[in-house]
Amino acid sequence: MITIDSLLKNKSAIKHHAILLLSSDFKNQTLNDNLLFDVAHTFCEIDVTVPDGYTLQDVLKEHPDIFCADRERKILRREDVKELKTAIIYPPQIGKKRLFIIENCERLNNNAANSLLKILEEPPIPCLFLLTSSEISQVLQTIQSRCLKIFLRSESNSAKTPEDLISLDDRTWLTDMLKQTTALPNRTKINAEKIHEIIIKTEKITKNYSTDILQDFLVIQVSNMVKENNSYINEAKKILAFISKWKKNRDFHPSSFLQLTSLFLT
């Protein structure tokens, strides 16, 4: 999980033309004006100004290089992205790239999402698609697969512990799996049915929680296990070393599913 400042300072690490920003701060909210200005300037070289007597919405509607999907609709339909499909034909007029914004992209219904897919794969002009959501599990998988997913640190979650942010069922399952990994003693044999369960459950969990939250939770649980049984110390060190390696170089390309299944199945 990264901060906005980290995202903007490391723009060279962003090679993708479609970004999905994920944070609970986006729930029922539009992009913060300053964040929109910073992204437009940093990634598209578009400087957005709001003249006296105008609102940002007025500027977005008139700007030649920015498209912002309807902010008021609860559900975005095919008709709501039709204007985007027209705009994508024309190259940028002012900036280096055109900026296409879809806030709370879980609002896209299937028809609207399908209308976007081909453009997201191969846009005909230099552009950046910026999508936001507060809950990755609500974003259509077809949209997710075509975007670079970036988890942003939430201000509202800053005072909460990983235990607060993960459901009881998921906490229990993760803790049980830690106790059953090959790194720990008394591990039971994993059969094909159990492997299937691990893959399905891990996929669900890694869609619902950010990488940092999962990593921090695992570290806490391993530490608690050592406190309860000191004989786990050597095995705990192996798991902590694994998590430390996992933390490196993953800010802009999380791979929680592969890492977590590797921890539980290897």
Side-chain angles (χ1 to χ4, degrees):
M1 191 180 297
I2 64 173
T3 63
I4 291 295
D5 287 343
S6 177
L7 171 67
L8 297 174
K9 289 177 181 177
N10 291 277
K11 69 173 184 176
S12 61
I14 304 294
K15 307 296 184 182
H16 212 290
H17 60 267
I19 297 174
L20 172 57
L21 296 182
L22 295 151
S23 171
S24 60
D25 289 340
F26 293 134
K27 188 172 185 179
N28 301 319
Q29 293 185 18
T30 58
L31 277 169
N32 175 276
D33 289 1
N34 289 331
L35 172 57
L36 191 154
F37 296 155
D38 289 341
V39 168
H41 174 77
T42 301
F43 294 104
C44 302
E45 297 185 15
I46 299 172
D47 291 320
V48 181
T49 57
V50 181
D52 291 341
Y54 282 75
T55 66
L56 177 60
Q57 189 65 24
D58 294 331
V59 173
L60 294 181
K61 286 180 179 179
E62 298 178 3
H63 201 288
D65 285 347
I66 299 177
F67 169 87
C68 185
D70 195 310
R71 291 177 152 188
E72 302 299 325
R73 286 192 180 277
K74 292 183 178 181
I75 301 295
L76 292 177
R77 307 161 301 170
R78 188 196 299 269
E79 293 82 357
D80 296 313
V81 298
K82 185 176 181 180
E83 185 180 347
L84 186 156
K85 295 186 71 174
T86 301
I88 197 73
I89 299 173
Y90 303 101
Q93 298 182 35
I94 299 174
K96 185 176 181 180
K97 298 179 180 180
R98 299 197 71 182
L99 177 61
F100 298 99
I101 303 167
I102 303 178
E103 298 158 308
N104 304 114
C105 66
E106 64 272 14
R107 295 182 297 151
L108 290 164
N109 66 19
N110 286 325
N111 288 335
N114 290 332
S115 183
L116 276 178
L117 294 183
K118 187 173 179 60
I119 299 175
L120 284 175
E121 288 178 344
E122 299 178 2
I125 62 170
C127 64
L128 175 68
F129 284 88
L130 183 66
L131 286 67
T132 71
S133 180
S134 62
E135 182 54 71
I136 189 171
S137 63
Q138 295 180 14
V139 179
L140 292 174
Q141 188 60 44
T142 50
I143 296 295
Q144 290 188 43
S145 65
R146 289 161 176 79
C147 296
L148 173 63
K149 295 184 284 291
I150 298 180
F151 292 88
L152 297 177
R153 184 172 295 124
S154 169
E155 294 296 331
S156 60
N157 286 343
S158 60
K160 295 184 178 180
T161 67
E163 288 93 337
D164 296 327
L165 301 171
I166 299 177
S167 72
L168 177 59
D169 286 346
D170 291 339
R171 296 201 308 266
T172 300
W173 188 85
L174 287 168
T175 302
D176 288 343
M177 285 308 305
L178 275 178
K179 294 177 179 178
Q180 297 177 43
T181 58
T182 54
L184 295 176
N186 303 319
R187 178 175 181 265
T188 58
K189 184 178 180 180
I190 297 182
N191 56 31
E193 184 178 352
K194 185 66 175 179
I195 291 174
H196 179 72
E197 175 203 321
I198 290 172
I199 291 174
I200 297 300
K201 184 70 174 180
T202 300
E203 183 177 22
K204 176 185 175 184
I205 285 176
T206 52
K207 284 181 178 178
N208 288 338
Y209 309 108
S210 73
T211 302
D212 276 1
I213 289 173
L214 289 172
Q215 290 169 340
D216 291 345
F217 176 78
L218 294 174
V219 169
I220 291 170
Q221 294 311 303
V222 170
S223 299
N224 289 338
M225 289 162 59
V226 172
K227 291 178 182 178
E228 294 173 3
N229 188 341
N230 195 52
S231 65
Y232 283 171
I233 185 67
N234 291 330
E235 292 77 14
K237 287 180 180 179
K238 296 176 185 177
I239 296 178
L240 294 176
F242 179 95
I243 296 173
S244 177
K245 184 177 180 180
W246 176 10
K247 283 177 175 285
K248 293 180 180 178
N249 302 320
R250 47 118 325 240
D251 273 350
F252 296 99
H253 189 65
S255 55
S256 301
F257 172 70
L258 294 177
Q259 296 290 349
L260 207 52
T261 51
S262 177
L263 174 63
F264 292 154
L265 292 175
T266 303

